[in-house]
């Protein structure tokens, strides 16, 4: 485009000169043409320099991308296990490659491969949350964008725009005081901002209305508020308060490692042991290592239960078949994808490889449960942000309810990825080469609602698991039915 414009300018100038046939009649006028030609040469050199500069910027961008991809392809899973790397890759493919000209002109290539989130990155994520009416995450990302702007980071996004979104997101969450404070700050930067001026009046009106509805506080009440704050802090640590917290918040707390802790008395009932499942011949000489993870529901972990070679083989078999994980839609009765389950999964049978039959037999030998009626081995891979929100495993199927769950952990996870049980406050961390097991049903066949569990989002790294859902049919003599919930 620039070359075309420069050529048009040059041609128009030459046409103007050639249209005047009288130049040659005067040496004085022809000398002017020399200076005109000199100006054209100068303009041409300026254009060449500009193009060379543009090409140099493109080359620098390409060189950086070349070195980045060379390093990334050496360990793709490790590289994409970092959430910023994964986000940057998607951003490049969705926007930066398609807008290369503006990228070069704005010279944003220097910041493209850094391992931190820029103001623009935070703002884009906040906008996505905002369009999905997710004001909680809008606040988190806009707050981060604002912080980086305050620290002096250069950006095309200005502070007024960030404050505008941030104040509204906070208002939508019911925090009028903070929304008003941020709106006032916005108006200090831009006193003529029409929406902020309107919001200011509206927030002040709502606060006044709210204050009128509340009785005046005397000194005694202020003291009571202080005492209540201290009391709340103490109660927060108790099981009773934890059980009253909404499930979503409990789920997030557990994923952050803020769940309740067992009392010393309960912890004293948890043990580790060498286990042979009632003298099973396969484990008499080499019993497996078993440890208790939780008491109610009873969750047990088996250590070093699957080898590195076996795990790699399972991943190799699963990778070509991985598809977005689905859930059962109760309205249509069909399998469908859902935002609360973000992972890819594949199903493996003993016909795919003798190893699967070997693993099924190992699970049967250790649990004592029949595998013929169990579901196929499901292999799941969770990328950055991959999660499965709280759910039950039990559900009526052709071969009866899912009596128990066996879960292999086939990778360590740098951050996130725990299996949590929000109702009871249990949290089980992934540990490569181990497996956890629990019963979903009481001995009387009723569902144990304390087994409601979730897979926390993977924050850094890559999570591989494989699970076996064991059904109640075929277990009549292996786990006899009982009339009560207790064993």
């Amino acid at each position: 485009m620039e070359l075309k414009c420069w050529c048009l300018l040059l041609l128009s100038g030459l046409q103007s000169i050639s249209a005047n046939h009288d130049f040659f009649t005067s040496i004085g006028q022809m000398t002017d043409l020399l200076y005109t030609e000199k100006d054209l040469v100068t303009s041409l050199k300026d254009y060449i320099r500009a193009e060379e500069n543009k090409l140099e910027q493109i080359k620098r961008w390409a060189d950086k991308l070349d070195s980045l991809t060379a390093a990334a392809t050496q360990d793709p899973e490790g590289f994409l296990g970092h959430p910023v790397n994964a986000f940057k890759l998607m951003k490049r493919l969705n926007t930066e490659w398609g807008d290369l000209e503006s990228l070069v002109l704005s010279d944003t290539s220097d910041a493209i491969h850094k391992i931190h989130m820029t103001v623009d990155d935070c703002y884009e994520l906040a906008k996505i949350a905002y369009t999905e009416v997710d004001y909680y995450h809008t606040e988190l990302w806009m707050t981060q964008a604002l912080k980086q702007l305050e620290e002096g980071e250069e950006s095309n996004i200005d502070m007024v725009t960030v404050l505008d979104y941030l104040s509204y997101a906070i208002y939508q969450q019911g925090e009028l005081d903070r929304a008003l404070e941020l709106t006032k700050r916005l108006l200090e930067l831009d006193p003529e901002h029409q929406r902020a001026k309107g919001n200011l009046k509206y927030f002040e009106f709502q606060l006044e209305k709210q204050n009128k509805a509340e009785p005046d506080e005397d000194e005694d009440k202020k003291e009571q508020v202080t005492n209540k704050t201290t009391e709340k802090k103490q109660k927060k640590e108790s099981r009773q308060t934890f059980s009253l917290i909404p499930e979503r918040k409990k789920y997030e707390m557990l994923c952050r490692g803020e769940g309740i802790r067992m009392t010393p008395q309960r912890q004293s009932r948890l043990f580790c042991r060498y286990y042979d499942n009632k003298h099973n011949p396969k484990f008499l000489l080499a019993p497996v290592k078993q440890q208790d993870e939780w008491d109610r529901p009873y969750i047990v972990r088996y250590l070093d239960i699957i080898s590195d070679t076996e795990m790699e083989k399972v991943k190799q078999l699963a990778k070509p078949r991985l598809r977005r994980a689905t859930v059962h839609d109760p309205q249509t009765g069909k399998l469908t994808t859902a935002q609360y389950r973000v992972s890819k999964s594949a199903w493996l049978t003993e016909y795919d490889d003798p190893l699967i039959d070997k693993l099924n037999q190992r699970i049967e030998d250790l649990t004592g449960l029949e595998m013929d009626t169990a579901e196929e081995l499901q292999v799941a891979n969770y990328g950055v942000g991959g999660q499965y929100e709280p759910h039950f495993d039990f559900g009526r199927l052709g071969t009866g309810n899912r009596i128990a769950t066996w879960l292999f952990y086939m990778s360590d996870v740098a951050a996130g990825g725990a299996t949590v049980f929000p109702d009871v406050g249990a949290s089980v961390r992934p540990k490569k080469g181990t497996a956890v097991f629990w019963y979903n049903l009481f001995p009387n066949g009723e569902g144990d609602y304390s087994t409601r569990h979730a897979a926390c989002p993977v924050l850094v790294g890559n999570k591989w698991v494989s699970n076996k859902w064991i059904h109640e049919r075929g277990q009549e003599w292996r786990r006899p039915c009982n009339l009560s919930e207790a064993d």
Side-chain angles (χ1 to χ4, degrees), residues 180-385:
L180 179 62
E181 180 186 333
L182 289 167
T183 303
K184 287 179 178 177
R185 187 175 168 191
L186 189 161
L187 286 168
E188 286 176 6
L189 297 171
D190 183 3
E192 298 305 316
H193 197 287
Q194 293 303 311
R195 185 166 48 250
K197 286 163 84 172
N199 287 345
L200 180 69
K201 291 178 182 177
Y202 178 74
F203 294 157
E204 288 175 337
F205 170 74
Q206 290 294 330
L207 268 175
E208 187 179 348
K209 207 166 129 183
Q210 184 177 295
N211 292 335
K212 282 181 180 176
E214 295 175 356
D216 293 335
E217 290 184 351
D218 53 19
E219 291 301 319
D220 291 337
K221 185 163 183 181
K222 286 181 182 177
E223 188 176 344
Q224 286 176 5
V225 170
T226 306
N227 292 336
K228 280 182 181 178
T229 304
T230 307
E231 189 179 340
K232 273 185 182 178
K233 194 174 180 181
Q234 293 170 345
K235 284 185 177 180
K236 190 178 180 182
E237 299 172 356
S238 72
R239 176 175 296 276
Q240 185 178 6
T241 302
F242 186 80
S243 66
L244 297 174
I245 297 172
E247 182 182 68
R248 176 72 194 185
K249 287 196 175 292
K250 285 194 285 189
Y251 165 52
E252 292 181 353
M253 287 172 64
L254 288 168
C255 289
R256 291 194 300 265
E258 299 172 2
I260 59 172
R261 299 288 180 265
M262 274 191 177
T263 61
Q265 184 179 4
R266 286 181 67 191
Q267 284 183 331
S268 68
R269 295 197 290 266
L270 302 181
F271 297 95
C272 57
R273 63 191 70 80
Y274 284 102
Y275 181 75
D276 61 14
N277 192 20
K278 300 177 183 177
H279 308 297
N280 185 301
K282 293 183 180 178
F283 304 116
L284 279 176
L285 295 178
V288 300
K289 291 178 278 188
Q290 185 192 67
Q291 68 182 36
D292 300 333
E293 290 286 339
W294 204 258
D295 55 352
R296 295 187 304 272
Y298 183 53
I299 306 168
V300 66
R301 188 195 295 261
Y302 296 89
L303 286 77
D304 302 321
I305 202 63
I306 181 170
S307 69
D308 287 344
T309 303
E310 289 171 330
M311 286 185 283
E312 287 308 310
K313 182 64 175 178
V314 170
K315 292 178 191 177
Q316 180 187 343
L317 291 168
K319 277 182 180 179
R321 309 178 187 198
L322 287 175
R323 298 292 182 272
R324 176 69 187 269
T326 57
V327 296
H328 180 263
D329 188 334
Q331 295 182 339
T332 64
K334 297 179 180 179
L335 292 175
T336 182
T337 59
Q339 288 301 317
Y340 59 83
R341 188 180 189 186
V342 183
S343 65
K344 287 194 173 182
S345 62
W347 299 86
L348 302 177
T349 72
E350 60 272 20
Y351 301 109
D352 295 314
D353 194 274
L355 172 62
I356 307 304
D357 187 44
K358 183 180 175 183
L359 293 176
N360 289 339
Q361 188 60 52
R362 189 177 304 164
I363 296 170
E364 180 171 333
D365 291 336
L366 287 169
T367 63
L369 298 175
E370 176 64 61
M371 290 295 114
D372 287 348
T373 57
E375 294 176 46
E376 297 171 357
L377 186 71
Q378 180 182 221
V379 183
N381 180 221
Y382 295 79
V384 174

Side-chain angles (χ1 to χ4, degrees), residues 66-248:
D66 186 42
S67 60
L68 176 72
T69 53
T73 51
Q74 290 179 7
D75 180 16
E77 289 190 356
F79 179 81
L80 292 173
H82 195 294
V84 176
N85 287 338
F87 173 75
K88 294 280 191 182
L89 173 64
M90 296 307 297
K91 184 183 175 187
R92 285 197 301 274
L93 293 176
N94 279 291
T95 60
E96 291 165 3
W97 277 101
D99 198 19
L100 184 57
E101 183 180 8
S102 62
L103 172 67
V104 170
L105 294 175
S106 60
D107 196 21
T108 57
S109 57
D110 289 339
I112 231 166
H113 310 301
K114 293 178 182 174
I115 205 70
H116 71 272
M117 303 290 279
T118 65
V119 170
D120 291 24
D121 294 335
C122 297
Y123 177 77
E124 284 183 28
L125 287 173
K127 281 288 296 293
I128 292 169
Y130 182 83
T131 56
E132 294 181 356
V133 199
D134 179 359
Y135 298 115
Y136 171 73
H137 288 100
T138 301
E139 178 193 348
L140 291 181
W141 286 112
M142 285 297 179
T143 300
Q144 183 61 32
L146 181 63
K147 179 185 174 187
Q148 290 178 212
L149 283 172
E150 289 172 338
E151 290 172 352
E153 183 177 323
E154 292 184 6
S155 171
N156 293 325
I157 310 300
D158 58 51
M159 207 174 287
V160 168
T161 304
V162 173
L163 285 168
D164 190 19
Y165 278 104
L166 183 56
S167 61
Y168 185 74
I170 288 172
Y171 158 69
Q172 286 290 345
Q173 296 178 81
E175 297 184 59
L176 276 170
D177 288 322
R178 285 183 62 208
L180 179 62
E181 180 186 333
L182 289 167
T183 303
K184 287 179 178 177
R185 187 175 168 191
L186 189 161
L187 286 168
E188 286 176 6
L189 297 171
D190 183 3
E192 298 305 316
H193 197 287
Q194 293 303 311
R195 185 166 48 250
K197 286 163 84 172
N199 287 345
L200 180 69
K201 291 178 182 177
Y202 178 74
F203 294 157
E204 288 175 337
F205 170 74
Q206 290 294 330
L207 268 175
E208 187 179 348
K209 207 166 129 183
Q210 184 177 295
N211 292 335
K212 282 181 180 176
E214 295 175 356
D216 293 335
E217 290 184 351
D218 53 19
E219 291 301 319
D220 291 337
K221 185 163 183 181
K222 286 181 182 177
E223 188 176 344
Q224 286 176 5
V225 170
T226 306
N227 292 336
K228 280 182 181 178
T229 304
T230 307
E231 189 179 340
K232 273 185 182 178
K233 194 174 180 181
Q234 293 170 345
K235 284 185 177 180
K236 190 178 180 182
E237 299 172 356
S238 72
R239 176 175 296 276
Q240 185 178 6
T241 302
F242 186 80
S243 66
L244 297 174
I245 297 172
E247 182 182 68
R248 176 72 194 185

